Amino acid sequence: MNLLLLAAAKAPHGLPGLDLSGQLGNNNSVPWTIVFSLTLLTLLPAILLSMTPMVRLLIVFHFLRQALGTQTAPSNQVLMGLGLMMTWFLMQPVLVQVDQQAVEPFRAGQISGWDAIERGSEPVKAYMLRYAREKDLALFVSASMTSRPAKPDDVPLRVVVPAYILSELKAGFEIGAVLFLPFLLVDMVVASITTSIGMYQLPPVVISTPLKILLFVMVDGWNLLAGSLLKSF
């Protein structure tokens, strides 16, 4: 180790590869590829939940499972897989724009790493602004103590992301509440019938659960739900 440091000190430009900060400022793609890979692996779950439609999808799926009365069917893995595939389907146009504006020029060495990050964030920011409510944007603009932007594109990304999450939470709960109502009606009808005939030995949920599942299957509920979610974006 001492010999290595001594050789680096005697060398006119130091050891090759030790000046990482200098390489990051240039168009050298090797260190940037390492930085991007490690950063994406660390932040990928947070990015999926905060900058994609996955929040809304998972909330709706949770409400559906609670409304049907099936606690573990479909399982969390199945719902997560369906949510991931639908998220990829919805985000594919945005990913194509990111690839064309940032990834391909960076691979060709035409832009630096910082420029690639700035260019790649623009399509994602435009997507989130499309679904973020103005009220939520105003809330975080006020909380960030920044001046009021002249147009939505001037809002910084640190304001757009939490505003988008709040908007998606509201949209998910609205869809879930509407989805819950018909199954709640089935529960009320079954409960009133069983209590009127004096059937107290069997809980109403035991009777209503297969009826709700049968109703959901008869109307092709998964197709209707997926279609409605896709049309909501």
Side-chain angles (χ1 to χ4, degrees):
M1 184 66 181
N2 295 331
L3 294 176
L4 181 61
L5 294 177
L6 182 60
K10 291 182 178 180
H13 300 290
L15 288 176
L18 290 180
D19 189 11
L20 184 59
S21 60
Q23 294 182 16
L24 291 179
N26 301 325
N27 292 346
N28 194 344
S29 62
V30 175
W32 271 109
T33 303
I34 298 174
V35 172
F36 285 157
S37 301
L38 295 178
T39 304
L40 286 177
L41 287 176
T42 305
L43 300 179
L44 186 59
I47 292 174
L48 284 175
L49 292 176
S50 60
M51 304 174 70
T52 66
M54 196 167 185
V55 173
R56 185 189 304 189
L57 299 177
L58 293 181
I59 290 175
V60 174
F61 292 156
H62 175 75
F63 271 102
L64 173 64
R65 192 166 61 180
Q66 293 295 322
L68 287 174
T70 56
Q71 301 299 324
T72 58
S75 63
N76 292 331
Q77 291 82 357
V78 174
L79 295 180
M80 183 65 70
L82 178 59
L84 282 173
M85 292 299 101
M86 293 183 66
T87 299
W88 176 79
F89 179 82
L90 292 169
M91 292 295 294
Q92 188 175 9
V94 180
L95 296 177
V96 171
Q97 294 181 8
V98 172
D99 183 72
Q100 294 176 350
Q101 297 181 14
V103 178
E104 290 299 331
F106 173 71
R107 288 178 178 175
Q110 300 174 358
I111 59 176
S112 63
W114 292 119
D115 293 335
I117 294 176
E118 293 178 358
R119 291 188 182 186
S121 62
E122 291 177 359
V124 181
K125 179 181 176 181
Y127 170 82
M128 291 189 291
L129 284 174
R130 194 185 313 161
Y131 299 103
R133 299 189 305 166
E134 184 177 354
K135 181 188 297 185
D136 297 328
L137 289 173
L139 171 64
F140 286 99
V141 168
S142 176
S144 63
M145 300 297 180
T146 57
S147 59
R148 186 177 181 86
K151 55 183 179 179
D153 294 337
D154 297 335
V155 180
L157 193 62
R158 63 188 178 91
V159 173
V160 176
V161 172
Y164 171 76
I165 295 175
L166 284 186
S167 302
E168 287 296 286
L169 287 173
K170 183 179 185 297
F173 272 80
E174 287 178 347
I175 299 174
V178 174
L179 184 65
F180 213 103
L181 291 178
F183 298 105
L184 179 61
L185 181 61
V186 174
D187 287 331
M188 295 175 61
V189 170
V190 171
S192 62
I193 293 176
T194 54
T195 54
S196 63
I197 63 177
M199 187 183 297
Y200 300 103
Q201 297 83 2
L202 193 63
V205 68
V206 177
I207 302 176
S208 63
T209 298
L211 292 179
K212 290 186 292 185
I213 296 175
L214 180 61
L215 175 64
F216 187 72
V217 172
M218 288 179 60
V219 299
D220 198 4
W222 285 111
N223 184 275
L224 294 176
L225 179 62
S228 301
L229 287 174
L230 294 177
K231 292 177 182 177
S232 66
F233 290 98

